Amino acid sequence: MARIADPRRWFGFAALVVLLGLAWTFRSSVPANATTGGLTPSPRVGFVAPDFTLDLLGGGQVTLFELRGSAVVVNLWASWCPPCRAEMPTLQRVYEANRARGVEILAVNTTFQDTQADAAEFVRAFGLTFPIPLDRTGEVSRSYLLRALPTTFFIDRKGVIRQVVLGGPMSETTVQTAVEELLRED
Amino acid sequence: MFPILQIGPLALRLPGLFLLIGVWLGISLIDREAPRHKVSGAALNNLVLYGLIAGIVGARLGYALRYAPIYAEDPMSLFSLNPTTLAPLDGLLVAMIVVFVLGQRQHLPFWPVLDALTPSLAVFAIFLGVAHLSSGDAFGAATSVPWGVELWGAIRHPTQVYEIGLAILVFLAVWRIRQAPTFQGFQFLSWLAMAAASRLFLEAFRGDSVIVFGVLRAAQLASLASLAAALVGLHVQARRALTAVPAVDQSTKTM
């Protein structure tokens, strides 16, 4: 205790520690774009969302990259998944309320573990109007490290993932606030 | 990285589970440590409980306030179990204020309370690292070192493993110094200094640092400030103990 209470000895030691810390801080300084994963595509917050091109239910194709400039919600789902059923009407309401503000929803059906007929019936029953890409091979689910259904990725206008929600159902408040965060980041 | 453990239809979120284990182990240490610092274990348990509740409530309210019109339409969403609709820093601030005010009202001694909570904080830090390992958060910068791990599309420093290792070392140091008779605040301030120094060192290997002033890592600056404050605090408390107690009685009067 006497050593700590001695101002000369202790402040000499403290100054040395802080100077070393300061030197380490400058030694490990990096440019701002060197952190948060840079531009590596990866399915997590702060990274660029992995790109994909998928066939759409009802015809046509969609490429995620081509939606740059819009806030995009990518939701992975299956027709047999109860929380997916519970949250789809919410996604539809948020889509209708925000589409004109530049919000796009891609509800990727995990067709490799579902059937296209069941997916089509699901979409008809809920009156969904947003695009439904079909992940027939499971490639997109794998690249997004899908571990629970539903899983939702909120992607900003620059293509960077800003929020990931594992599981569901999400409330309308959750989806709407996440969308507001995406629209705020410009 | 294993964020989800699937047990039949049940998808367990492992990071949350590890944090809960950390809280539980931390709380279980309180009863053991409180008598050593002449603090009521029950009062300390209550303090932690109220702090946890205040933290969660504060985090949700902080988030909701940012989107007040949306929450006003659906107030029940305030009770959502979704952890993404929490504002952690707001929660921490509210928890600290509540704990401080409650501690003052119950006339709990400031430094002995912090000293008694120190092993709990140190054990929680270990499980925070395990939670990061499980979720893949707090990830490292891309590297070519032989022990790099593949994560998020690159070979990276296993910063979560470094974090766990350093937290274990800090916990062992805290466990050791708690035996020594010293002055009030010694244990907590020593832990703060060691934890800050660990973060200062570790942050250099992180790939998700927030950068300020163009090139500096914000967490390192915050750690440096905490480290300096802890070192000054140690000196002030040591002086206070020396001047308050006659030299002969030091070993018996101080903790």
Side-chain angles (χ1 to χ4, degrees), chain A residues 1-8 10-11 13-15 17-18 20-22 24-26 28-38 40-45 47 145 147-148 163-168 170-174 176-178 180-181 184, chain B residues 1-4 6 11 13 63 66-67 70-71 74 77 80 82 84-85 135-139 152-154 156 182-183 186 200-202 204-209 211 214-217 220-221 224 227-228 231-232 234-235 238-239 241-242 250 254:
Chain A
M1 190 192 322
R3 256 182 286 179
I4 301 176
D6 178 352
R8 280 186 61 184
W10 185 250
F11 282 118
F13 168 73
V17 169
V18 171
L20 282 174
L22 208 54
W24 179 248
T25 301
F26 278 100
S28 52
S29 62
V30 285
N33 62 6
T35 61
T36 326
T40 319
S42 206
R44 66 163 292 118
V45 172
F47 287 78
L145 299 176
R147 289 193 171 91
Q163 202 177 124
V164 181
V165 178
L166 294 172
M170 296 180 292
S171 71
E172 192 165 337
T173 307
T174 299
Q176 187 62 45
T177 54
E180 293 295 339
E181 297 236 338
R184 206 175 57 171
Chain B
M1 310 296 145
F2 302 98
I4 301 272
Q6 193 77 37
R13 292 178 195 194
Y63 187 87
R66 286 182 211 165
Y67 299 102
I70 299 171
Y71 274 86
D74 181 18
S77 287
S80 159
N82 187 348
T84 61
T85 50
S135 67
D137 284 326
F139 54 85
W152 313 130
R156 299 180 178 279
T182 50
F183 49 87
F186 176 71
L200 181 63
F201 173 72
L202 185 66
F205 304 100
R206 289 271 290 261
D208 60 342
S209 302
I211 303 295
V215 291
L216 298 177
R217 298 170 194 257
Q220 283 187 318
L221 295 180
L224 209 52
L227 178 60
L231 292 173
V232 171
L234 279 166
H235 175 72
R239 296 275 294 181
L242 272 182
Q250 273 173 38
T254 53

Side-chain angles (χ1 to χ4, degrees), chain B residues 20 27 72 85 115 124 146 164 168 252:
Chain B
L20 277 179
I27 288 176
T85 50
D115 284 338
F124 178 75
I164 295 168
I168 290 173
T252 53

